């Protein structure tokens, strides 16, 4: 039997049992669609989180107090013999490969402006925030470089400025932070959420003032921006050598932006693989369905097999016919499932624009390949059984 005849025979066999064929392929349709939807959501979150990290740039190094082997923004309880100080930040700024540094102190405090008051996030930082963190000033200017004798100056996030002053211009206005009064000298450009932190609802004040405000002895971290032409290992060695010379021993942790990105990438990739495996369970159910239906089909079509054998069809032809049917069902189910999944993702992207979704083509193609393999694997046993039937025995069932 020629291949075109074989394909035509398989198509007619499937078309003559539309309901059975549709129900058989339905398991694969659901399985492939589940893989497409889950992996697209996982890939979207993956891309979103990595994009959030890279908004701060990739040539950053963070110095955190305490010797530990974690990653991320330091917010842990400080337990060093010698805390990080503004002098440490000033010393790091003088290293040849370093472009700028930002000392960081974070907290939450009540802010008052006239009759309005609210609690907000406060970041005690240095003057290099726009350069190091890639943030832009909308109006006014950022904090000046006077960490040796800091003045009571403040810069407001876009949302905080609107809620405290409304349509009025906040520049030059006085606000009360804790028990002190600060003069507003700038408003940041709207930035939005970054890793769950609302940058627009943030107040920036000098790091020295924040240490006094929160009664802290140590900075939470020092962010270092280094030259892109210098290897990160060289920068790490220079920073480590300087900090050990200042502290006497290694009571700090160095974390590069690349290390955070690599760690996050590996974690998120595992999560995406995990949700793909959940969708794969549906594919397994679909394979059982194809195996069951094809096995039943052999029992129902024994007389047809006997007739084919009687008119000269060889065993390999019978084998190919039943295997071709199973393969056709799996291919049709895989294509329909992939299309259905992509349509659902488009609908989710339209209805929920805040939810990051991105088609994971690698997983989609892999799922389709698995559906084809399922068709082959599920069709082999029934096809072998059909090909082994003797013509006379098969015809007797008529």
């Amino acid at each position: 039997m020629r291949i075109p005849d074989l394909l035509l025979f398989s198509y007619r066999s499937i078309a003559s049992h539309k309901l059975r064929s549709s129900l058989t392929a339905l398991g694969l349709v659901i399985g492939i669609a589940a893989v497409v939807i889950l992996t697209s959501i996982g890939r979207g979150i993956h891309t979103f989180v990595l994009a959030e990290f890279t908004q701060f740039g990739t040539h950053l190094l963070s110095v955190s107090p305490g010797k530990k082997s974690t990653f991320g923004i330091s917010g842990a309880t400080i337990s060093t013999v010698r805390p990080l100080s503004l002098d440490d930040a000033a010393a790091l700024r003088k290293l040849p490969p370093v472009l700028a540094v930002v000392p960081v102190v974070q907290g939450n405090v009540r802010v008052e402006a006239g009759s309005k008051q609210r609690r907000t996030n406060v970041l005690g930082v240095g003057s290099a925030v726009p350069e190091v963190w890639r943030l832009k000033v909308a109006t006014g200017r950022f904090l000046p470089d006077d960490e040796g004798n800091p003045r009571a100056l403040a810069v407001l996030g876009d949302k905080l400025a609107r809620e405290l002053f409304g349509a009025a211009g906040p520049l030059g206005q006085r606000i009360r932070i804790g028990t002190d009064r600060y003069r507003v000298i700038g408003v940041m450009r709207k930035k939005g959420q970054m890793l769950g932190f609302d940058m627009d609802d943030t107040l920036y004040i000098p790091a020295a003032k924040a240490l006094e405000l929160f009664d802290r002895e140590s900075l939470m971290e020092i962010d270092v921006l280094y030259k892109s032409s210098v290897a990160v290992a060289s920068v790490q060695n220079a920073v480590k050598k300087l900090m050990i010379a200042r502290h006497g021993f290694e009571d700090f942790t160095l974390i590069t932006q690349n290390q955070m990105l690599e760690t996050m990438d590996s974690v998120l990739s595992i999560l995406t693989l995990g949700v793909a495996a959940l969708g794969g369970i549906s594919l397994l159910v679909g394979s059982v369905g194809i195996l069951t239906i094809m096995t039943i089909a052999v029992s129902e079509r024994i007389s047809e097999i006997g007739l084919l054998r009687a008119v000269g069809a060889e065993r390999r032809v019978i084998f190919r016919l039943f295997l071709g049917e199973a393969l056709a069902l799996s291919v049709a189910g895989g294509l329909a499932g992939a299309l259905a999944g992509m349509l659902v993702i488009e609908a989710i992207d339209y209805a929920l624009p805040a939810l990051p979704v991105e088609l994971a083509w690698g997983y989609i193609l892999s799922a389709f390949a698995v559906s084809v393999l399922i068709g082959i694997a599920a069709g082999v046993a029934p096809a072998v059984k059909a090909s082994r039937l003797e013509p006379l025995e098969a015809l007797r069932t008529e």
Side-chain angles (χ1 to χ4, degrees):
M1 183 178 287
R2 297 177 303 171
I3 292 179
D5 295 330
L6 181 66
L7 295 175
L8 181 61
F9 191 94
S10 298
Y11 169 75
R12 288 177 175 175
S13 177
I14 293 173
S16 62
H17 300 87
K18 294 183 178 63
L19 181 60
R20 185 181 69 186
S21 300
S22 300
L23 293 175
T24 303
L26 183 60
L28 287 178
V29 172
I30 294 174
I32 297 292
V35 171
V36 172
I37 294 169
L38 292 175
T39 55
S40 296
I41 294 175
R43 177 61 64 182
I45 294 174
H46 185 161
T47 303
F48 173 78
V49 172
L50 293 184
E52 289 290 285
F53 266 97
T54 54
Q55 285 191 64
F56 285 116
T58 55
H59 298 100
L60 290 179
L61 182 147
S62 172
V63 183
S64 304
K67 182 62 178 175
K68 50 187 181 294
S69 57
T70 184
F71 69 95
I73 298 177
S74 173
T77 302
I78 298 173
S79 59
T80 54
V81 174
R82 184 173 180 179
L84 289 181
S85 65
L86 292 172
D87 290 337
D88 290 329
L92 289 171
R93 189 183 295 113
K94 297 177 182 178
L95 290 175
V98 173
L99 294 174
V101 300
V102 172
V104 181
V105 181
Q106 181 183 341
N108 188 277
V109 74
R110 186 177 67 179
V111 180
E112 300 177 15
S115 60
K116 296 181 180 179
Q117 59 178 320
R118 67 190 303 277
R119 296 196 70 86
T120 188
N121 296 312
V122 174
L123 284 177
V125 293
S127 61
V129 162
E131 179 183 4
V132 177
W133 289 358
R134 295 183 177 180
L135 300 179
K136 303 293 184 180
V137 178
T139 58
R141 60 191 178 94
F142 201 72
L143 300 174
D145 186 11
D146 57 355
E147 293 177 1
N149 185 26
R151 290 171 286 171
L153 303 176
V155 177
L156 308 180
D158 177 77
K159 178 181 178 181
L160 182 61
R162 284 186 282 106
E163 294 194 359
L164 289 179
F165 296 98
L171 297 184
Q173 299 294 325
R174 295 282 181 174
I175 60 175
R176 183 177 294 277
I177 306 173
T179 58
D180 296 329
R181 294 177 63 83
Y182 287 71
R183 184 164 63 91
V184 178
I185 63 170
V187 177
M188 303 301 292
R189 184 179 298 177
K190 190 173 183 179
K191 186 68 175 179
Q193 296 277 340
M194 294 185 68
L195 300 174
F197 191 87
D198 191 352
M199 301 299 292
D200 296 331
D201 189 15
T202 301
L203 174 67
Y204 302 87
I205 63 175
K209 289 291 186 181
L211 289 173
E212 296 175 4
L213 177 65
F214 299 118
D215 193 23
R216 297 180 63 100
E217 295 182 358
S218 172
L219 300 171
M220 295 180 68
E221 68 179 32
I222 301 173
D223 291 338
V224 179
L225 175 67
Y226 58 89
K227 298 176 181 177
S228 59
S229 59
V230 181
V232 62
S234 175
V235 179
Q236 282 182 294
N237 290 334
V239 170
K240 185 176 181 179
K241 183 177 179 180
L242 174 64
M243 292 299 294
I244 291 177
R246 291 184 56 83
H247 286 215
F249 59 97
E250 190 175 350
D251 59 349
F252 54 88
T253 299
L254 302 182
I255 307 165
T256 67
Q257 193 80 346
N258 287 335
Q259 286 174 327
M260 287 189 283
L261 289 173
E262 289 172 1
T263 304
M264 289 300 300
D265 183 67
S266 62
V267 171
L268 293 170
S269 296
I270 292 173
L271 290 176
T272 304
L273 182 60
V275 297
L278 291 177
I281 296 175
S282 298
L283 286 179
L284 179 61
V285 174
S287 67
V288 174
I290 289 182
L291 176 61
T292 303
I293 295 298
M294 292 306 299
T295 302
I296 295 174
V298 171
S299 302
E300 292 179 346
R301 297 164 62 186
I302 289 178
S303 59
E304 178 186 337
I305 296 169
L307 182 60
L308 288 171
R309 294 282 282 122
V311 297
E314 299 178 352
R315 288 186 173 182
R316 67 173 180 269
V317 174
I318 303 298
F319 175 83
R320 291 172 183 170
L321 286 174
F322 279 84
L323 185 60
E325 288 183 30
L327 188 57
L329 286 172
S330 64
V331 171
L335 289 175
L339 180 60
M342 287 188 282
L343 290 176
V344 171
I345 288 300
E346 288 296 325
I348 291 175
D349 190 36
Y350 177 78
L352 301 171
L355 178 64
V357 291
E358 178 184 341
L359 291 175
W361 289 105
Y363 285 102
I364 294 174
L365 295 176
S366 298
F368 179 75
V370 169
S371 72
V372 174
L373 293 176
I374 284 173
I376 296 174
V380 165
V384 170
K385 179 181 178 182
S387 66
R388 289 179 177 176
L389 292 175
E390 294 295 334
L392 291 178
E393 293 296 327
L395 287 172
R396 284 176 183 174
T397 63
E398 181 64 40

